[in-house]
Amino acid sequence: MCRTVDLHQAVLAKNDENALALRRFLASRGTVAVNLMSSPGSGKTALLEQLLTRAVAAGTPAAAVTADLATENDATRLARSGAPVQQILTDGLCHLEAGMLQARLEDWLPDGTRLLFVENVGNLVCPASYDLGETLRIALASVTEGEDKPVKYPAAFGLAQLVVVTKTDLADAVGFARETFLGGVQQVNPGVPVLETSARTGEGVDALLAHILRGAEGEETHTPVLARQHEKHLHSHANGTVREPGPVS
């Protein structure tokens, strides 16, 4: 018997309990959480800085929590937007867990926060399995990473409600095969919307913020096929306890 699998399932079951509590906490505050996942160097922080800046300018109460292995560099960058920002240092852990996020939010989340962006640790493997009580899960990939990211990391892209392409201003320079990428996305997550952005030129940033706000206002979001299968798995490893379904798992 492989004890590693048993331990992993126990960790996920505990995370699911914490995620449910966190989801209820956020709902009680009227806050919608957006979980951003990508590999390192995808341009996630630059794009988030743009989103926060525009949300603040539009009068939308927004805040961010950014997770990293060791430095507070990302929090410093994001704070330039004018939005409240907190950093979680994971001390080498390759993903953020619901309990870690909840512990940081309980004494910090500003009253009236409508949008809470959660910048997960740069990794397309570990974070995919961890529900953070989010309402919207976004997987990002840059044009500089190659076209095969979705099929190489099917869990990360297959569980997303939205896929965002970043650094589109560099697409021609790196020979990005757009149609191949889009085909891979639809292969692992049929019907998921895809938005193309550039933090440098501003392309697609307003459209992305508008998409997020529509979700925050209750517009129905995409439900991945893999998420429905994952929900059944969550039920099975929760010792038979029926888990309250969340918007994203």
Side-chain angles (χ1 to χ4, degrees):
M1 178 179 293
C2 179
R3 293 179 58 82
T4 302
V5 173
D6 290 341
L7 177 60
H8 184 60
Q9 289 182 345
V11 170
L12 287 178
K14 181 59 179 177
N15 183 79
D16 293 337
E17 292 177 10
N18 290 334
L20 179 57
L22 179 54
R23 183 168 283 113
R24 287 171 172 162
F25 168 77
L26 292 169
S28 72
R29 304 289 294 268
T31 302
V32 168
V34 182
N35 184 5
L36 304 172
M37 296 188 300
S38 75
S39 56
S42 67
K44 181 166 75 267
T45 305
L47 183 61
L48 179 53
E49 184 178 356
Q50 288 291 322
L51 288 170
L52 287 170
T53 299
R54 295 176 191 224
V56 169
T60 300
V65 172
T66 180
D68 210 343
L69 300 180
T71 76
E72 298 187 355
N73 295 347
D74 289 348
T76 301
R77 289 178 60 185
L78 295 176
R80 295 186 304 209
S81 67
V85 178
Q86 283 281 299
Q87 178 86 48
I88 295 178
L89 297 180
T90 64
D91 293 326
L93 193 65
C94 62
H95 61 273
L96 195 57
E97 297 182 5
M100 300 163 64
L101 181 59
Q102 184 175 18
R104 180 54 55 93
L105 293 179
E106 284 179 343
D107 296 326
W108 171 77
L109 185 65
D111 291 339
T113 299
R114 184 63 179 137
L115 293 180
L116 174 68
F117 291 96
V118 181
E119 184 183 15
N120 220 313
V121 178
N123 190 313
L124 281 173
V125 179
C126 305
S129 300
Y130 290 85
D131 182 354
L132 299 182
E134 69 265 29
T135 296
L136 184 64
R137 177 178 291 200
I138 302 176
L140 303 94
S142 68
V143 299
T144 58
E145 297 175 71
E147 300 80 21
D148 59 352
K149 274 290 185 289
V151 293
K152 289 181 70 174
Y153 301 97
F157 288 90
L159 287 166
Q161 292 169 297
L162 175 67
V163 173
V164 172
V165 184
T166 61
K167 303 184 182 181
T168 54
D169 54 299
L170 300 177
D172 290 340
V174 299
F176 179 63
R178 179 176 179 273
E179 295 306 320
T180 301
F181 179 88
L182 296 177
V185 169
Q186 296 305 317
Q187 177 182 332
V188 301
N189 195 347
V192 66
V194 180
L195 293 179
E196 299 175 56
T197 66
S198 167
R200 177 179 295 178
T201 67
E203 176 192 0
V205 180
D206 286 335
L208 175 56
L209 182 59
H211 184 101
I212 292 169
L213 288 171
R214 289 196 299 273
E217 294 306 316
E219 180 175 292
E220 186 174 355
T221 55
H222 170 71
T223 301
V225 173
L226 190 58
R228 291 196 287 268
Q229 297 171 352
H230 189 62
E231 187 69 23
K232 294 178 182 177
H233 172 69
L234 293 176
H235 281 264
S236 69
H237 73 58
N239 298 320
T241 302
V242 176
R243 176 183 180 277
E244 180 177 308
V248 180
S249 292

